[in-house]
Amino acid sequence: YFKDYLNSSNNFLIPDNYQEDRKEKIVLRTSSTNIGLSLLAVISAYDLGYIEEEKAFYLLKNIIFTIQSLPKWNGHLYNWYQIQTKEPLVPRYVSTVDSGNLVGYMYTTRAFLEEIQNQEKIDFNKIENLKIKLEQMIEDTDFKVLYSDEQRLFSIGFNIEENKLTDSYYDLLASEARQASLVAIAKKDVPPKHWNNLSRTLTVLRKYKGLISWSGTAFEYLMPNINIPRYEGS
């Protein structure tokens, strides 16, 4: 999928989905989570031996250059873009979850670039320049604008058309927004005490204990774990 569609005609923006039984098999839109996952897909393809280091660097470079060129709000990508024009789709919205995912994946990509930099196969300067671009975009993504000081929680996002935060908040640790909380604290955009404000309510089902999420989906529990280490007993 990534080999076929991560290309120049799509501006190296991966389409959101593909369906065999449609006339147009791919949709010409993508999200910041999709963009971030395409970075990880390239890194994974290299780690698994499907592509060489030069191909991985070429794809990462083009994805990162495209991210840099996209219209943004306080450093955040909008929720959806048309992949061939790079224009945000209306209504424009900034999603806390999606921004947290993308910045988390950027941190991972930076770590990968440092790893291949040590192997000295690709020109040092080229890798260093790409790392600088990533670091700048991470720094420019301001999570304070998505955070409620009063609630000490993240809103689900900011509605650009209405120019206001959505009055609904991520208040559980077992949520897909967990990575956004972690990266925002790491960037010092929000205070560390925010982490303690995420509810850890436990429930019991057939003798098993578990953290409560809003809808009990794998997405809520497992999506952040793509990047976040799991510790035994946690």
Side-chain angles (χ1 to χ4, degrees), residues 79-93:
N79 218 21
W80 293 104
Y81 291 89
Q82 209 282 355
I83 62 176
Q84 291 176 337
T85 66
K86 302 198 286 189
E87 288 299 310
L89 298 186
V90 177
R92 292 168 303 163
Y93 193 82

Side-chain angles (χ1 to χ4, degrees), residues 3 29 37 43 52 80 98 112 167 185 202 207 211:
K3 182 171 178 283
R29 67 171 184 268
L37 284 172
I43 293 167
E52 296 297 319
W80 293 104
D98 288 288
F112 172 74
D167 190 24
I185 292 167
L202 288 170
K207 299 181 182 176
L211 281 174

Side-chain angles (χ1 to χ4, degrees), residues 74-76 99-100 103 107 136-149 153-154 180-194:
N74 286 291
H76 294 270
S99 280
V103 172
Y107 275 119
Q136 190 60 57
M137 287 193 289
I138 289 169
E139 187 58 36
D140 288 346
T141 309
D142 182 8
F143 283 91
K144 290 192 291 290
V145 294
L146 299 171
Y147 185 74
S148 165
D149 289 313
L153 295 169
F154 276 105
S181 293
L182 199 66
V183 297
I185 292 167
K187 289 178 75 268
K188 299 183 169 61
D189 286 354
V190 302
K193 62 186 177 185
H194 158 62

Side-chain angles (χ1 to χ4, degrees), residues 81-122:
Y81 291 89
Q82 209 282 355
I83 62 176
Q84 291 176 337
T85 66
K86 302 198 286 189
E87 288 299 310
L89 298 186
V90 177
R92 292 168 303 163
Y93 193 82
V94 170
S95 159
T96 299
V97 166
D98 288 288
S99 280
N101 288 342
L102 178 60
V103 172
Y105 302 149
M106 282 179 170
Y107 275 119
T108 305
T109 305
R110 189 184 67 177
F112 172 74
L113 290 173
E114 283 172 355
E115 189 179 290
I116 64 170
Q117 194 171 24
N118 295 331
Q119 295 169 11
E120 300 182 5
K121 286 185 183 175
I122 295 169

Side-chain angles (χ1 to χ4, degrees), residues 4-200:
D4 287 349
Y5 295 115
L6 213 48
N7 55 40
S8 56
S9 62
N10 289 332
N11 288 301
F12 295 92
L13 293 170
I14 197 70
D16 181 69
N17 64 75
Y18 170 99
Q19 288 185 34
E20 280 283 350
D21 56 0
R22 277 193 310 224
K23 185 182 176 188
E24 300 295 334
K25 290 185 169 32
I26 64 165
V27 295
L28 298 177
R29 67 171 184 268
T30 197
S31 70
S32 33
T33 292
N34 293 340
I35 295 167
L37 284 172
S38 72
L39 291 169
L40 293 198
V42 171
I43 293 167
S44 301
Y46 169 75
D47 284 344
L48 292 166
Y50 297 140
I51 58 175
E52 296 297 319
E53 191 173 300
E54 288 76 11
K55 178 68 170 177
F57 182 78
Y58 166 78
L59 290 171
L60 292 176
K61 179 187 74 173
N62 281 290
I63 296 167
I64 290 165
F65 273 50
T66 297
I67 297 170
Q68 195 177 33
S69 72
L70 293 173
K72 299 177 185 69
W73 178 83
N74 286 291
H76 294 270
L77 294 192
Y78 294 105
N79 218 21
W80 293 104
Y81 291 89
Q82 209 282 355
I83 62 176
Q84 291 176 337
T85 66
K86 302 198 286 189
E87 288 299 310
L89 298 186
V90 177
R92 292 168 303 163
Y93 193 82
V94 170
S95 159
T96 299
V97 166
D98 288 288
S99 280
N101 288 342
L102 178 60
V103 172
Y105 302 149
M106 282 179 170
Y107 275 119
T108 305
T109 305
R110 189 184 67 177
F112 172 74
L113 290 173
E114 283 172 355
E115 189 179 290
I116 64 170
Q117 194 171 24
N118 295 331
Q119 295 169 11
E120 300 182 5
K121 286 185 183 175
I122 295 169
D123 184 289
F124 270 132
N125 293 327
K126 287 182 180 176
I127 294 178
E128 192 60 35
N129 288 338
L130 214 51
K131 278 171 55 187
I132 290 166
K133 285 183 190 297
L134 271 179
E135 285 159 10
Q136 190 60 57
M137 287 193 289
I138 289 169
E139 187 58 36
D140 288 346
T141 309
D142 182 8
F143 283 91
K144 290 192 291 290
V145 294
L146 299 171
Y147 185 74
S148 165
D149 289 313
E150 184 185 349
Q151 308 269 1
R152 288 194 294 180
L153 295 169
F154 276 105
S155 162
I156 64 169
F158 193 94
N159 189 317
I160 311 300
E161 314 306 334
E162 296 176 3
N163 195 34
K164 66 177 186 181
L165 279 177
T166 301
D167 190 24
S168 185
Y169 300 89
Y170 288 110
D171 59 356
L172 299 176
L173 185 68
S175 108
E176 66 274 24
R178 187 162 70 252
Q179 182 166 222
S181 293
L182 199 66
V183 297
I185 292 167
K187 289 178 75 268
K188 299 183 169 61
D189 286 354
V190 302
K193 62 186 177 185
H194 158 62
W195 191 253
N196 298 324
N197 229 43
L198 299 171
S199 173
R200 292 148 168 80

